[in-house]
Amino acid sequence: MHTNVNFAYADARCARLQLAAWTIVVVVAGAFILKLLSLALYSIPESDDFCFFYTNNQYGLVGTVSVFYHSAIGRITPLLLMQFPAVLRTLTGIDLFICYVLIMVAFMVTFVVSMIFLARRIQPDTTILQQIALGLAFAAVLGSEAPSLQQMFYWLPGVACYTVAAAIVLLMFAELINATENGVNLSRASTAMMAFGGLVAAMCNEFTAAWLIGMISCSLLARWLFTQRLQVAAHSWIGLAILTGLAVVVSAPGNSVRMSQFPMAGDFSNSLKGGVSFRLDRLRSPV
């Protein structure tokens, strides 16, 4: 009986230590996230934002998408998201600058919540506290390593074009990893959600579709290596949705209009040189 009591005491002490450790992770990561969130209160519209404010006021939500799709850019998802402050202003009558801040805060909170959901999908057998801790830590690390925090969290065009796409890619990646690791088939609901998410993400920019197609291909390869059911049809539907989104972006008439305004447009070697130069500068940077 004495031994059993000692074991029970040791188990309770270990549980308290684990609870304290995970709580510290939540507090530290949460404090960092709250600091980033407080900075969103200083978000202000810039040049592109004012263009969307004006065009939305003139042509409405759908009309604005049509104007920019035919004259500037084919990224449908950002064309919709970048109008949110103007739409909120119209619906509530709140000052446009305040609406901009509210939208940026909402996007940031959504991003953090999506990271917590990501942790839940990757580690479904852990406790809620552990999932929150992992999600907050992941979001904090992403924020601390971002090349530009302003474009990641505080400038709507940057958030709409890249942060939204990144969050969707991570969630789809987690779903595919979870299914393969546990040897389960993708359900119809999961397939439909990933197809929709892939479509939305692919219409965020010209690059995300390549990552998503790579993920789908790797998922099929992993299933083949582990002798699991390939589910070619499910993967094909997701891939088709992604390619559809890419086709919508690259076939926009506005792409030709925009490229004609830049002498170096279409020069892939110049883009590659610029990318390498940017990365080397980051590697040499002391921070």
Side-chain angles (χ1 to χ4, degrees), residues 63-77:
T64 298
V65 172
S66 178
V67 168
F68 280 95
Y69 187 78
H70 287 88
S71 64
I73 193 171
R75 301 175 177 181
I76 297 295
T77 302

Side-chain angles (χ1 to χ4, degrees), residues 124 230 279:
L230 294 181
R279 184 49 53 192

Side-chain angles (χ1 to χ4, degrees), residues 86-125:
V87 172
L88 182 60
R89 188 271 309 271
T90 301
L91 294 175
T92 63
I94 299 175
D95 181 83
L96 190 57
F97 282 75
I98 296 177
C99 288
Y100 192 86
V101 169
L102 293 175
I103 292 298
M104 299 313 299
V105 169
F107 270 116
M108 191 170 177
V109 170
T110 302
F111 179 80
V112 174
V113 171
S114 68
M115 293 305 100
I116 295 175
F117 183 76
L118 172 66
R120 182 176 178 82
R121 294 302 297 158
I122 294 177
Q123 297 289 338
D125 296 329

Side-chain angles (χ1 to χ4, degrees), residues 16 23 26 30 71 111 116 123 127 140 153 156 161 233 274 287:
R16 288 196 299 270
T23 302
V26 170
S71 64
F111 179 80
I116 295 175
Q123 297 289 338
T127 65
F153 288 133
L156 187 51
C161 290
V287 292

Side-chain angles (χ1 to χ4, degrees), residues 25 27-28 66 70 90 100 111 130 135 150 155 193 205 226 260 286:
V25 175
V27 171
V28 173
S66 178
H70 287 88
T90 301
Y100 192 86
F111 179 80
Q130 291 171 332
Q150 190 238 4
W155 186 45
M193 289 295 293
N205 56 66
F226 293 121
S260 66

